[in-house]
Amino acid sequence: MVQAHDRTSLSLAASSKMLDGRGCDGPSAAAESRAQHRPLGTDPLSDVLGTVKLTGALFFLVEASFPWGLEVPHAAAFSSIILPRAQHIVSYHIILKGSGWAGIPHATSTWFEAGDILVLPHGDPYSMLSEPDRAPEFDVQATMDFFRDMAAGKLPFVSREGGGGDPRCEFVCGFLGCDMRPFNPLLSTLPRLLRIKRSHDRREGLLSPLIDLTLAEARRPRVGGGSIRLRLSELVFVELMRQYLESLPAHETGWLSGLRDPAIGKVLIMLHEQPAYPWTLNELASRAGMSRAAFAGRFTHLVGHAPMQYLTLWRMQIAARFLGDSSMKVAAVGREIGYESEAAFSRAFKKTVGVSPAAWRGNAAGTG
């Protein structure tokens, strides 16, 4: 199982993989030797989730009776309430019973039913309604007040709302914090509203057992239950992404599609295993068993970035994590991702991220 709930161990594991080579200005012979003899086995999905600091923020169950409706503002409006240190908030809803309509601005409303999971990865404002175009019972202000009370522990895990009639709808609401800057390859390629069909075959995944465990924990309140539910919410999201990955149609593009592709997925594993190694396009193409042109075209088509551009972006995400979470000197951070000199690293970081490493560190400290 992907251990999304253990962020510390994930970040340490990811960090240990960053100490490989000195790269862009010329790796040392020792660094190349370590990279060549290092066993592969990195799980890029775990790597990304650990490095972008996936963190449970809020998790609760809604029991709604007809008519019902809620309106949620842009995530930036409530992130400081539910997880003040998070760069970004992702929300998802698991429909347990009934049906309804979900809407985001400038898009057609999406009908949902029991067994569906709705994921809003980009923080868009949205509504969930028993009927389309109905005025929500919980408008933006009411929702904000609800988030404040829920985050403060003033409300129970189960929230009941609506007019008291039938049909009824039940859904689990999960809100997660994570980093989006400078680069989150998982979320950046997902659609604004993602609808996933839940499998009830326990042999096909962990989602149903995780949901059952969460509900059982909520119905039997015990000390530490809130913390357990938040960790479970992280695991639920990871399993959602795994099921989405497995259900992607062949023509789909995006980072997860690249991960699933045999040749491109192999290269992504190598880049995440050895981000500081002095990779070249020719070597990556050779490892993928493709010509340089064919490899570059397929990688770019599936992942959305050219191979060397992706490597640079991922290196800068790693560097940003180090700058924000450690007291390492800037030059040392640069060496961890393959830059021989502080000047070369600083130039690359500012060109890619838009600010200097020192400014990034200062901004991270200001939000801590």
Side-chain angles (χ1 to χ4, degrees), residues 28-329:
S28 66
E32 288 196 36
S33 176
R34 286 197 305 273
Q36 290 168 356
H37 293 89
R38 189 182 191 108
L40 295 180
T42 292
D43 170 3
L45 181 57
S46 295
D47 199 16
V48 166
L49 292 172
T51 303
V52 302
K53 298 187 286 190
L54 183 74
T55 307
L58 205 60
F59 199 54
F60 55 90
L61 172 67
V62 173
E63 294 181 351
S65 56
F66 187 86
W68 60 270
L70 57 92
E71 189 174 19
V72 180
H74 193 283
F78 60 86
S79 61
S80 62
I81 297 173
I82 67 173
L83 200 65
R85 295 189 62 183
Q87 282 187 13
H88 182 73
I89 298 292
V90 175
S91 64
Y92 67 87
H93 303 277
I94 303 168
I95 314 304
L96 303 176
K97 177 180 178 181
S99 62
W101 296 83
I104 56 176
H106 313 299
T108 303
S109 293
T110 299
W111 183 73
F112 61 80
E113 63 179 341
D116 287 345
I117 303 106
L118 307 175
V119 182
L120 293 107
H122 301 293
D124 287 300
Y126 64 95
S127 62
M128 295 180 67
L129 307 167
S130 56
E131 295 179 312
D133 303 320
R134 168 179 287 277
E137 174 192 8
F138 274 72
D139 60 12
V140 166
Q141 187 56 55
T143 298
M144 292 286 285
D145 292 340
F146 173 85
F147 284 158
R148 288 189 187 93
D149 289 343
M150 181 63 77
K154 297 179 180 179
L155 299 176
F157 174 74
V158 179
S159 173
R160 295 178 175 85
E161 59 184 77
D166 291 324
R168 297 174 183 265
C169 187
E170 293 183 8
F171 47 93
V172 172
C173 301
F175 295 85
L176 304 166
C178 68
D179 288 350
M180 277 295 285
R181 304 184 306 273
F183 181 51
N184 185 321
L186 172 61
L187 298 188
S188 63
T189 57
L190 292 179
R192 294 175 66 198
L193 174 60
L194 177 62
R195 180 186 175 201
I196 303 170
K197 179 63 67 175
R198 173 185 172 190
S199 172
H200 291 280
D201 188 342
R202 291 174 180 265
R203 296 170 298 180
E204 294 184 7
L206 298 170
L207 187 57
S208 290
L210 284 171
I211 293 171
D212 292 344
L213 181 60
T214 300
L215 296 177
E217 179 67 29
R219 293 183 178 117
R220 186 167 168 252
R222 299 167 63 191
V223 174
S227 179
I228 289 175
R229 289 195 296 271
L230 289 181
R231 301 294 82 78
L232 286 169
S233 76
E234 297 165 15
L235 291 173
V236 167
F237 180 77
V238 175
E239 182 62 16
L240 284 176
M241 292 298 98
R242 294 206 303 190
Q243 290 199 10
Y244 178 59
L245 170 63
E246 293 164 0
S247 67
L248 283 172
H251 65 272
E252 195 73 37
T253 61
W255 185 76
L256 286 170
S257 293
L259 198 60
R260 188 181 62 174
D261 182 88
I264 303 306
K266 176 182 178 182
V267 168
L268 285 171
I269 288 173
M270 291 188 297
L271 294 179
H272 281 256
E273 176 73 22
Q274 301 169 0
Y277 181 79
W279 296 107
T280 65
L281 186 58
N282 284 337
E283 182 170 1
L284 291 174
S286 176
R287 298 284 190 101
M290 303 171 70
S291 71
R292 174 181 168 132
F295 166 71
R298 184 161 186 78
F299 190 103
T300 304
H301 171 71
L302 287 175
V303 179
H305 299 281
M308 304 312 292
Q309 180 189 29
Y310 178 88
L311 176 59
T312 297
L313 289 168
W314 182 242
R315 283 171 169 169
M316 296 310 151
Q317 176 63 39
I318 293 170
R321 179 70 184 272
F322 271 127
L323 290 167
D325 291 355
S326 77
S327 59
M328 289 175 61
K329 293 184 180 298

